[in-house]
Amino acid sequence: MGNNRSVFSEDELQDYEDLTYLTRKEILLAWRRWTELVGSNVESDKITRYPEETIQELPELKNNPFKDRITRVFSSAQDSRISFEDFLDLLSVMSDKAPLHLKAHYAFHIFDYNEDRSLDEEDLQTVVEKLTGGDPGLLQKEKTKLVDRLLEETDLDGGGISEEEFKHLLTKCPDFVHSFRFSL
């Protein structure tokens, strides 16, 4: 393929810089990683959507217990198929420069498994199962107690944890911004 820069017009690069938290250099690096994932025959196609399994080969996703949800949430068509621009959105949100409120927004939607705009007991049980990998050392009783405690501490109105309540919770977790990221 040769020079990455020839794939993008100057206007496209500027638009991507304006619309993401990525630098020009990071965008070009993202393109290189993209073509490694989807194949070098991609040429200059930035809109073809690829199956989630292809994108989940990215080292940062490969062993992530939330990889299915991540690809679904970042899919602009909500079909778990990803285009280069969806990939850029993912990398932008996962960059060090993305603000807490944006990271929290996406984390909330990743954890909202039943997609009802609230983190309820069902969602939190799923999150705990994913995080523990079904560890038999943790009793179901302990997992339920953890979920109940989370709801008790965070759910102010009893209707499940809203996105605003979730964002408020994350303001108390200073490491969240640094752990919810990928490196280019």
Side-chain angles (χ1 to χ4, degrees):
M1 187 170 86
N3 187 355
N4 282 338
R5 209 172 273 267
S6 66
V7 172
F8 301 100
S9 70
E10 191 59 38
D11 287 342
E12 280 179 309
L13 277 173
Q14 188 60 54
D15 286 347
Y16 288 146
E17 278 187 285
D18 291 344
L19 295 170
T20 68
Y21 292 97
L22 303 173
T23 65
R24 185 170 296 234
K25 182 178 178 181
E26 290 170 325
I27 293 163
L28 293 172
L29 183 55
W31 178 256
R32 188 174 333 131
R33 289 189 78 187
W34 175 254
T35 58
E36 289 169 2
L37 283 171
V38 301
S40 59
N41 62 346
V42 73
E43 293 301 321
S44 62
D45 183 4
K46 298 172 214 65
I47 59 170
T48 298
R49 305 176 65 69
Y50 292 88
E52 65 185 349
E53 296 83 14
T54 303
I55 310 314
Q56 291 170 0
E57 288 302 311
L58 188 68
E60 293 85 350
L61 289 177
K62 197 170 197 153
N63 297 310
N64 188 312
F66 302 104
K67 66 184 173 190
D68 295 336
R69 288 295 300 161
I70 291 169
T71 51
R72 178 161 177 85
V73 167
F74 281 92
S75 169
S76 57
Q78 295 294 297
D79 63 358
S80 299
R81 296 177 65 82
I82 303 288
S83 69
F84 174 68
E85 291 185 352
D86 296 333
F87 184 64
L88 271 186
D89 287 342
L90 169 64
L91 294 177
S92 178
V93 169
M94 296 296 184
S95 79
D96 287 332
K97 292 171 263 173
L100 171 64
H101 71 88
L102 184 64
K103 289 178 177 287
H105 169 80
Y106 280 94
F108 177 85
H109 289 282
I110 289 166
F111 297 154
D112 185 13
Y113 276 83
N114 59 20
E115 299 181 2
D116 65 354
R117 299 177 189 250
S118 171
L119 299 182
D120 54 23
E121 185 175 351
E122 178 186 344
D123 294 319
L124 295 175
Q125 286 285 1
T126 303
V127 168
V128 169
E129 283 300 319
K130 293 277 187 185
L131 287 173
T132 60
D135 182 351
L138 278 175
L139 299 174
Q140 188 57 44
K141 183 176 164 182
E142 292 169 319
K143 294 175 187 177
T144 300
K145 186 175 179 179
L146 174 62
V147 167
D148 290 345
R149 180 70 188 241
L150 263 170
L151 286 168
E152 180 183 312
E153 296 287 325
T154 310
D155 182 12
L156 302 177
D157 61 6
I161 301 169
S162 70
E163 187 170 340
E164 288 308 311
E165 290 168 329
F166 183 73
K167 286 178 181 178
H168 178 72
L169 169 69
L170 292 182
T171 62
K172 298 176 182 182
C173 304
D175 290 340
F176 172 75
V177 172
H178 303 294
S179 60
F180 197 76
R181 68 181 180 91
F182 292 169
S183 297
L184 269 175

